[in-house]
Amino acid sequence: MTKRFLLLLALMMPLWATAQVLRFATWDGSENLDIQRRIAAAFEQRHPGVRVQVEAYGGGFNQKLSASFGARNPPDVTMMWNFPLYHRVLEPLDAWQARDPAFDAADMVPGLLRFATVESRLYGVPAGFTSQVIYYNKDMFDRAGLAYPRADWRWEDLRTLSQKLSRPSAKVYGYGLDVAPDPYDFQGYLWSAGGRMLGADGHRVQGELDSAPSQAMFTMLLGLLDQGLAATLGVGDGKNQRQLFVADRVAMLMDGAAFRLELAQDGKRYGVAPLPSFQGRPAQSVVSVSSLAMARDSKQKDLAWQFIKFYSSAEAVRLRQGDLPVLLSVARELKLQEDPLVQPFYAMALSMQEVPAFLLNPRWTRASGVVRDAIQEVFLKKGDVQQILARAALKAERKLQ
């Protein structure tokens, strides 16, 4: 080491030693992690003497977070979605919100705060969200001379379009169906049919997952596969949905807001439409919300609240790209509800009437694996639909006891 470097190190060490460190845990990686760090840097600029330590837990997020809470050494602030499971180790934010005039809950997209509310207490502040829509491949539609999907379309319309777009012999399909989906995302299919995975009481799975409406939706989707109108995503030749969509082998598929960024990188021409209605019922989508929460054991709660508030401010919300702005003022400023590639996401978010299973029962994570396996069994045609769903409903209900 040179004398100049040692002198510089000696000068900087007192600054590091006196900096107030705020720990922030996130599940994000790649480009989204870079955005998290930019938000943290902007916060540091406004709070001299504070350093935000961004802890990227990645795919091991739940395990690492649980271990930190168990050791009574959690990050001060953490990304959070499963509030029913974690709320006992989190700081209630109602009082912080109530005494802070800068926090405007009325500016939040309606319905998002309920994802961070347990037993009428608020434990998190939403930072980003997405709903599910149908992406359609404009190149495939244009070559077939077909009109793009309308906002008031039905699953019957999707089937008709798929018949005109599909060429199974060439492995070209009208629709791409994820046959090994996250059960959370699949709830939108069942809600749109009048079914659900878990009853409103938070305990009953039998008579819900295997109900007549749920079976009707599964049967309709199976029909698309049987008729060669849908590709099976999630299994098979290893090609992911992005590759198939960009290669003009899948004309329509369901996904959230992050898929827009992938297609933009590919320069792909695409459109988005709301989910189709089923048997005269209005379509419903799940909404995925990422929020920020404060650890109950944090030793610097004032600073943690300032970071949460900043992260949910218009300045920070504008920086997020993998999901959609949670603030109505930012959506208006960016004219997102006038953008045909974004407006359907907001429309589907506002259409959600059902309550996701994990908000009804904190033990739902024990049962969701059973449901995931049953969905895959149905679509891989490993038995009778009714019998598969009935067995899964019984097993999942026992997991909740």
Side-chain angles (χ1 to χ4, degrees), residues 360-398:
L360 294 170
N361 192 317
R363 296 188 180 94
W364 177 250
T365 51
R366 302 179 185 179
S368 67
V370 174
V371 176
R372 181 195 61 235
D373 293 344
I375 294 170
Q376 190 165 349
E377 278 188 64
V378 169
F379 290 137
L380 296 184
K381 304 172 188 177
K382 294 186 176 181
D384 177 78
V385 174
Q386 193 278 331
Q387 291 179 3
I388 292 173
L389 296 179
R391 284 196 304 269
L394 174 61
K395 187 175 180 180
E397 194 167 296
R398 287 174 175 170

Side-chain angles (χ1 to χ4, degrees), residues 117-138:
T117 302
V118 181
E119 297 174 357
S120 300
R121 304 193 77 179
L122 182 67
Y123 289 92
V125 177
F129 82 99
T130 184
S131 56
Q132 301 282 305
V133 299
I134 299 292
Y135 286 80
Y136 57 89
N137 185 319
K138 286 188 172 182

Side-chain angles (χ1 to χ4, degrees), residues 18-73:
T18 58
Q20 186 177 4
V21 177
L22 181 79
R23 295 174 57 203
F24 166 49
T26 176
W27 55 62
D28 277 327
S30 188
E31 295 89 351
N32 286 331
L33 180 58
D34 291 338
I35 292 172
Q36 307 271 26
R37 288 174 172 150
R38 287 168 59 192
I39 294 174
F43 180 78
E44 290 173 344
Q45 290 179 352
R46 286 154 183 74
H47 295 78
V50 172
R51 181 169 67 88
V52 178
Q53 179 174 297
V54 180
E55 301 179 3
Y57 291 175
F61 181 83
N62 288 328
Q63 295 85 348
K64 292 176 182 177
L65 190 64
S66 296
S68 70
F69 278 117
R72 303 294 296 272
N73 185 35

